[in-house]
Amino acid sequence: MSDGSYGPISAGIIRSITDKSYERRKAAALDVEKLVRDLFNNNQLSQLDRCLAVLAELINSGNSNQRKGGLIGMAASSIALGNKNAPPYTAKLVEPIIPCFLDADLQIRYYACESLYNIAKICKTAVLDHFGDIFDVLWRVTADSDQNVRGGAELLNRLITEIVLSKEDFDVAILMALIRDRIYTQTSSNRRFILEWLNTINSTPFFSVCNYISEISDGLFKMLADQAPAVRDLCETVLGNFLSAIKFKPESLTHEDKIQMVNVLVVHTHENEPFLARKLSLIWLEEFVKLYKAELLEMLSTFLVGILPSIVEHELRGDAVNRLLMALVGENKLEQANLDRTIEVLLKYIKYDVVETRVTVLNWIRHLHSSMPGQLFIHMHQIFPVLLNTLSDTSDEVLLLDLFLISNICQSESAPDQVDVSTFGLEEEALKQVSDISPFLIKFALSLLEMFRTEPSLLRERGVLIIRQLCLLLEPAQIYRVICVLLERESKHNFTQEMVSTLHGVLLTATELFILRDELRSLSNESSRSLFECIFRVWSNRPIALLGLCLLSQHYQQAADVALLLSQVDITVDVLLEIDKLVNLIESPVLAYVRMDLLSSVHRSPLCTVLSALLMLLPQSEAFVTLHKRLQAVPALVSIDNSTYAPKVPPCRIDFPPLMIHFKVALARRQTEIRSRHRDILSGVVSQMRSLKS
């Protein structure tokens, strides 16, 4: 090997820089750095070009050690040239390195990351002339099988990102074209790479990418199904940033973009899509309706395809989109072609499996009938037979709504008259408690209680289902408030007990009521506190249910007070069954925090009093054994009071003395009624015996 072969680089430097030893290559790189600096300073630019060409030849060599030497030598050359002089040589420095990112040798790939990092650090914005190639190789090595290569790529990507952000006139269209071509990748690491770029660009004020969202939104929503939680979280953030940018500058989307976006969003509301994708899609649809209003009414049938199957899941906000669309239709008339498509979708979903979807469809038909009866009449030959068939629906709510709609259509009347709450016969205090509740809901609750009262089998067989469905469609706190207010004036004690038992079972077990359970635990506002007091007064008719309410809300001292008064209760089979259910609930996940509170010295004493009282009342059944084992598991000395996991002691925001007096009065009334009932039964038996003797 002669000096002339690699001039101006000496053969000695070549041997050292291509040596298999990293230390020798590193030392030789310093020689290359000195050589390049001298050549430039002496204005020997042709020799400098030759030097870079020799290094490029080494990088393209079939020998891995020569490629490694060429890579480290190229990085050393950029360092020698420095920030001021390197930019004109960027192409000669960068282009030979790009193919090395795809090398089969993982060490070559790693050194390529390291070399390009050093070059980019020196050349800065000049490397952006090769942004497309750099982005492509970074995207590839992000999913590299070797951790070190991925780490090197991450550092390089961070540097390139910083360089892009430093160049305010960077053509973001280039980046978005690269992302658009790769948006449907299935690899988590590639997806994260794309999302990180989008997140960075979105957070930079002088870059605007909103007008590209319609091109990449479908791919982004697909990423919400990724197996990696970090990718899903980042994707949610990116979509949130895009939505915020659109809300800030709604005009950034063309009409065609809006139409395309609605179509994409509706696709991702499908029930087979991941929950997160459905949730975010409906949030976007809601914001689009708020932003663009009547402009999107031509897509009404498409919107309905997305929201009708999701209306049952309150947290998906499909009901919010539905309300907004109904308001828009009330303010704007639909074109006949648009109405035709809308009716077609509604009739398709009127037989949908979910009760709430059918309810929503009927509400839409009612709304259209009241808003544009003349236009709707054209479709009446299709609608009316369907409504008649819907009378066989298994849901009472759908049946009632269907009957109401049919009567409206038959009478050709508009919307129903407003409900006057003064006709309900409620006292002033009761009216005050339900002042924030819809009069329609109050009237429905009155009708529902009357149905339960006259048909006890309906309450036993379908009461839980009806209450749960109501709480799913409406606000659970309002449902419980209005029913409890109405039950407070109930004269039939047995019916009140049955209702409390049903309501209490739903409250402590139904997933639909987890928000209400949280409210009754925190009691963070006046509304939740008044609701608790209202429930407490009604639950006083069912002492074991009242005990469960106190446990649910973590009012353990009051629970202990109630438990000690259980000695005044006639322990019937029904009471024992209630206690058995309460023991099972205490062992359930819903009341896991109650069991954990047994470890607290603050809560242990009243809780143990409650559990011990229940234990004394139970016969030695399975529930007795379960409760006994739970009490035995309570440690005598160990507590978690000083631990970060110690339970918080909720502040007592309730005025309990009047409530306890109310409970004692209810308890006395309960015992009086029980004894009266026993006397009536006994009198009946005696009368029957006397009649037999005579």
Side-chain angles (χ1 to χ4, degrees):
M1 183 182 292
S2 64
D3 288 358
S5 303
Y6 296 100
I9 306 176
S10 69
I13 294 176
I14 292 296
R15 280 194 298 271
S16 297
I17 206 169
T18 59
D19 194 89
K20 64 181 180 180
S21 168
Y22 173 74
E23 295 301 326
R24 292 195 65 183
R25 292 198 303 271
K26 186 176 179 182
L30 296 175
D31 295 332
V32 172
E33 181 180 341
K34 182 178 182 303
L35 173 63
V36 170
R37 186 178 293 112
D38 290 342
L39 290 173
F40 186 84
N41 290 337
N42 294 327
N43 203 30
Q44 295 179 286
L45 301 184
S46 61
Q47 290 295 307
L48 174 57
D49 290 341
R50 173 57 186 159
C51 180
L52 295 178
V54 168
L55 293 173
E57 289 176 12
L58 291 176
I59 291 173
N60 293 324
S61 169
N63 183 284
S64 62
N65 288 329
Q66 289 185 352
R67 294 201 298 279
K68 293 173 186 176
L71 288 168
I72 196 170
M74 200 67 83
S77 300
S78 67
I79 294 171
L81 291 168
N83 300 105
K84 183 178 179 181
N85 305 315
Y89 293 91
T90 302
K92 294 179 180 180
L93 293 168
V94 171
E95 290 175 358
I97 297 175
I98 296 298
C100 294
F101 282 88
L102 306 179
D103 199 283
D105 189 333
L106 64 89
Q107 288 188 326
I108 299 296
R109 299 197 298 275
Y110 176 77
Y111 288 133
C113 292
E114 186 178 54
S115 180
L116 188 54
Y117 178 89
N118 289 318
I119 293 170
K121 200 168 185 181
I122 297 297
C123 297
K124 297 190 180 300
T125 56
V127 300
L128 297 183
D129 292 339
H130 307 275
F131 180 75
D133 292 333
I134 294 174
F135 186 91
D136 182 67
V137 294
L138 279 174
W139 180 76
R140 294 177 186 276
V141 294
T142 296
D144 199 277
S145 59
D146 184 73
Q147 176 62 43
N148 290 329
V149 176
R150 293 199 301 273
E154 184 177 347
L155 290 174
L156 175 58
N157 183 55
R158 196 175 303 162
L159 176 61
I160 298 298
T161 303
E162 292 173 0
I163 294 172
V164 168
L165 297 181
S166 70
K167 186 175 173 61
E168 294 190 14
D169 61 345
F170 174 76
D171 188 358
V172 76
I174 297 173
L175 171 63
M176 297 310 296
L178 292 166
I179 289 176
R180 183 187 60 229
D181 293 342
R182 295 163 176 77
I183 197 66
Y184 289 107
T185 178
Q186 299 294 308
T187 308
S188 294
S189 52
N190 288 149
R191 284 174 165 176
R192 184 170 183 175
F193 174 80
I194 290 172
L195 291 169
E196 286 173 347
W197 268 100
L198 288 173
N199 193 39
T200 301
I201 295 297
N202 260 329
S203 60
T204 307
F206 48 81
F207 290 141
S208 177
V209 292
C210 286
N211 51 322
Y212 297 98
I213 182 60
S214 62
E215 300 176 6
I216 62 173
S217 57
D218 184 54
L220 287 177
F221 275 93
K222 287 182 182 297
M223 290 185 189
L224 293 171
D226 197 275
Q227 296 298 313
V231 173
R232 297 196 300 271
D233 293 343
L234 184 55
C235 186
E236 184 176 3
T237 300
V238 168
L239 285 169
N241 290 339
F242 267 117
L243 186 56
S244 298
I246 292 171
K247 288 165 66 176
F248 180 74
K249 194 176 180 181
E251 66 276 9
S252 61
L253 294 186
T254 66
H255 182 70
E256 290 72 22
D257 287 339
K258 297 165 194 171
I259 300 302
Q260 184 177 343
M261 281 299 305
V262 170
N263 284 321
V264 168
L265 293 169
V266 167
V267 167
H268 291 284
T269 62
H270 194 274
E271 57 188 353
N272 292 333
E273 290 288 309
F275 178 83
L276 183 58
R278 298 177 67 199
K279 177 181 176 181
L280 294 184
S281 297
L282 285 159
I283 289 174
W284 274 66
L285 287 173
E286 180 183 3
E287 294 300 332
F288 268 47
V289 176
K290 289 179 180 178
L291 288 172
Y292 303 114
K293 297 182 172 33
E295 183 183 351
L296 293 180
L297 270 184
E298 65 180 273
M299 301 288 291
L300 177 59
S301 59
T302 306
F303 272 98
L304 291 175
V305 170
I307 65 175
L308 286 176
S310 307
I311 208 78
V312 63
E313 298 173 81
H314 182 72
E315 61 271 35
L316 291 179
R317 299 196 61 76
D319 54 341
V321 185
N322 190 65
R323 287 194 298 270
L324 291 171
L325 289 170
M326 279 193 166
L328 282 177
V329 171
E331 298 167 1
N332 303 271
K333 299 296 182 183
L334 298 180
E335 294 183 2
Q336 189 63 49
N338 192 3
L339 180 61
D340 295 347
R341 295 192 298 270
T342 301
I343 294 299
E344 183 180 352
V345 171
L346 290 173
L347 295 182
K348 174 184 176 182
Y349 280 98
I350 202 167
K351 296 182 180 180
Y352 197 71
D353 291 341
V354 180
V355 172
E356 288 75 10
T357 299
R358 303 198 296 274
V359 168
T360 305
V361 169
L362 291 172
N363 273 323
W364 263 107
I365 297 175
R366 186 181 69 173
H367 186 63
L368 293 171
H369 177 257
S370 63
S371 302
M372 48 193 78
Q375 288 177 268
L376 192 71
F377 187 78
I378 297 174
H379 298 277
M380 199 53 65
H381 67 285
Q382 296 173 276
I383 296 172
F384 203 72
V386 174
L387 295 179
L388 292 176
N389 290 334
T390 307
L391 290 174
S392 61
D393 197 281
T394 56
S395 165
D396 292 285
E397 191 174 6
V398 172
L399 178 61
L400 291 172
L401 183 57
D402 187 49
L403 286 170
F404 182 71
L405 179 56
I406 289 174
S407 65
N408 255 6
I409 294 173
C410 290
Q411 297 172 21
S412 298
E413 295 288 340
S414 58
D417 296 332
Q418 293 294 322
V419 177
D420 186 0
V421 294
S422 63
T423 62
F424 294 160
L426 298 178
E427 297 177 358
E428 184 177 348
E429 180 60 30
L431 288 173
K432 183 179 178 182
Q433 292 186 61
V434 296
S435 60
D436 295 332
I437 296 176
S438 166
F440 290 98
L441 179 56
I442 300 172
K443 184 174 183 178
F444 176 74
L446 281 165
S447 302
L448 184 64
L449 290 177
E450 180 61 28
M451 289 171 60
F452 285 154
R453 191 183 297 107
T454 55
E455 299 180 47
S457 60
L458 179 64
L459 175 59
R460 290 192 298 269
E461 296 171 9
R462 307 193 66 185
V464 171
L465 174 63
I466 292 172
I467 297 299
R468 288 186 65 172
Q469 293 293 344
L470 276 175
C471 291
L472 190 62
L473 285 167
L474 303 169
E475 179 61 41
Q478 291 190 354
I479 297 295
Y480 270 69
R481 183 183 293 277
V482 68
I483 291 178
C484 287
V485 167
L486 296 176
L487 284 176
E488 281 193 84
R489 66 172 193 162
E490 178 62 46
S491 58
K492 293 185 178 180
H493 185 69
N494 286 343
F495 173 68
T496 303
Q497 286 187 318
E498 289 297 321
M499 279 301 305
V500 169
S501 181
T502 301
L503 291 168
H504 183 69
V506 173
L507 176 63
L508 263 66
T509 59
T511 55
E512 295 86 348
L513 276 80
F514 72 94
I515 294 177
L516 180 56
R517 289 195 289 270
D518 286 345
E519 287 184 17
L520 294 176
R521 284 181 65 186
S522 60
L523 299 175
S524 57
N525 53 57
E526 184 59 36
S527 177
S528 60
R529 291 192 286 273
S530 67
L531 174 60
F532 177 85
E533 292 174 356
C534 183
I535 293 175
F536 189 102
R537 288 191 295 271
V538 176
W539 263 231
S540 295
N541 294 283
R542 205 78 171 179
I544 304 302
L546 182 61
L547 192 59
L549 176 66
C550 292
L551 292 177
L552 172 69
S553 59
Q554 291 181 289
H555 290 101
Y556 300 133
Q557 185 56 56
Q558 287 70 33
D561 295 340
V562 171
L564 293 176
L565 290 171
L566 292 178
S567 59
Q568 302 178 24
V569 177
D570 285 346
I571 306 302
T572 62
V573 173
D574 287 342
V575 172
L576 291 176
L577 288 174
E578 281 189 272
I579 297 175
D580 190 284
K581 291 178 182 177
L582 181 58
V583 170
N584 288 328
L585 285 170
I586 292 172
E587 294 296 318
S588 71
V590 174
L591 296 182
Y593 58 88
V594 174
R595 301 195 298 275
M596 291 300 295
D597 285 346
L598 284 166
L599 299 177
S600 167
S601 61
V602 177
H603 297 317
R604 183 185 301 149
S605 178
L607 264 178
C608 285
T609 299
V610 173
L611 299 185
S612 298
L614 294 177
L615 191 67
M616 293 302 103
L617 294 174
L618 280 171
Q620 294 192 18
S621 60
E622 185 177 342
F624 177 92
V625 173
T626 300
L627 192 54
H628 189 243
K629 287 182 178 179
R630 176 61 61 189
L631 280 167
Q632 287 179 323
V634 179
L637 298 175
V638 179
S639 72
I640 57 174
D641 292 346
N642 296 324
S643 166
T644 55
Y645 303 101
K648 295 179 180 178
V649 181
C652 187
R653 301 187 175 98
I654 302 298
D655 184 13
F656 272 103
L659 294 177
M660 292 304 294
I661 292 173
H662 181 89
F663 169 58
K664 291 176 182 178
V665 170
L667 198 60
R669 184 174 68 249
R670 169 193 170 95
Q671 295 308 107
T672 301
E673 291 182 1
I674 290 175
R675 287 177 174 79
S676 176
R677 192 158 59 248
H678 287 173
R679 281 196 300 271
D680 292 342
I681 293 173
L682 183 59
S683 298
V685 172
V686 171
S687 299
Q688 187 177 10
M689 291 178 64
R690 286 176 179 173
S691 63
L692 289 174
K693 285 183 179 180
S694 61

